[in-house]
Amino acid sequence: MAKGLFKSGMIVSAMTMISRVMGLVRDAVVANLLGAGLAADVFLFANRIPNFLRRLFAEGAFAQAFVPVLSEIKEKHGNDKVRLFVAQAAGTLGTILLIVTILGVIGSPVIAALFGTGWFIDWWQGGENAEKFELAIGLLKFTFPYLFFVSLVALSGAVLNVYNRFAAAAFTPVLLNISIISCAILLHDAFDVSAYALAIGVFVGGLAQLLFQIPFLLRIGMVNKPVFAWRSPEVTKVRKLMLPAMFGVSISQINLLLDTIIASLLVTGSIAWLYYSDRLIEFPLGLFGIGIATVILPALSKLHATEKSEDFQNTLDWGVRFVLFLGFPAMAGLMVISPLIISVLFDHGAFSEGEVDHVKTVSMGVAAYSVGLVSFMLIKVLAPGFYARQDTKTPVKIGIITLVLNMVFNIMLAPFIGYLGLALATSLSASCNAFLLYRKLNQQGVYQFSSFSLWFALKCIVSAILMAVLVYFIAQQYTWQSWSLIEQITLLCALLAVAMVSYFGVLFAFGVRLKTIKEASA
């Protein structure tokens, strides 16, 4: 099975790479248009709230509860029952989402006050940053409906994944990035504040994603008239699994939102610095961690339904090994060359204005987030070990512990090192989350990190360190800060090539072969 997962994982990673590259292009456009000042802070704030809710409810709680139930129905009852279940889930979820979206648009002032506390206080007192709060209200009216569209996209994507149609679902996010980029280019002169053009791009992108997936659902015969079925046994089962899953799988998103709330109380630019830092971390996380998590959940759900516990253990161990294989070099690489990456992507237009060295500031945030990159990836693989067995209560207990730890770390660090404290606190709490997830799986007799994987991880760590030292030494030989964009891109490509050759070369010298990565068992 792992060989099939490897192929599927590569397909998802390839599609995700296209999406992430377009996402970086989108962020470069945003940085060029808005910089890292007031407008950037507010747009990123308005965009983060529906995205947070999307990850929490749709891709987080709903997907993790929906996929195991869907896989079980498919294995035990066949496609006719699956079609009915999908129609019931779509009708029930769609109705609830429509109501929430309408309330969200109408209540945008309340949402802006709740999550942008610092701006609301300033507005209430007539401070100089009161316009941030007013702009946030206006932008939320365009960005909040994205939650409705993308949640239904998550549902249809989950169905496609269960039927091994991974490419279409993985490619879908590209349409959002294309929409935002297009609206930024075509509409930015149509508004006094260019952020409105980006907000419209978010709305259009959500609709485009939903329409894109319908033909693929038609091909597998999974498009039926939605039915509201709140009390259906299968929908009820999903509902019961969803509530605890909200915390278990989306804990990192809750942490990021808490960071946003605290960052609104810090100096102007803090939210933007955190956002751009997080975006660079999201690239390898989405490319490798989420890519493997996407294919491993349906596989684990099927293995649990057919009671193949040994294959379950081996598949989970393979997933952990795979993210370690790619996570360690990504972490080390970002730490040493993030200033050059940031300069290439963002250091243009409005981003370069002002007295603050945004490249240095964001790169420090990247380093703080990089500390937890491997942990972020491990969470994406370990959490499905619970959800595939329809155990959503254990992750929520771990999630609550991690939330408390994150706030403690925030309080300890943010007063002294500002936004860097928020990023570092997120990384530390993610590491605790990953450890607690593994310990519980081990205690339940579900998964134990194999000795083979331990040695493999040590080889990856040593290879990543040697790679980072070599790349850092080479980068220090050049004063690229004064170079043109083309020259910087050339150097970046060369450093990435050196990183790949050195990392895989050392691993090869250690005896690691492609077969080691593909197979689930040692």
Side-chain angles (χ1 to χ4, degrees), residues 490-504:
T490 302
L491 177 60
L492 177 59
C493 291
L495 291 176
L496 292 174
V498 170
M500 290 179 61
V501 171
S502 59
Y503 178 70
F504 292 119

Side-chain angles (χ1 to χ4, degrees), residues 420-441:
L420 287 178
L422 301 179
L424 189 57
T426 300
S427 295
L428 294 175
S429 61
S431 299
C432 294
N433 193 356
F435 170 75
L436 293 173
L437 286 172
Y438 168 72
R439 188 179 71 169
K440 198 61 180 180
L441 285 171

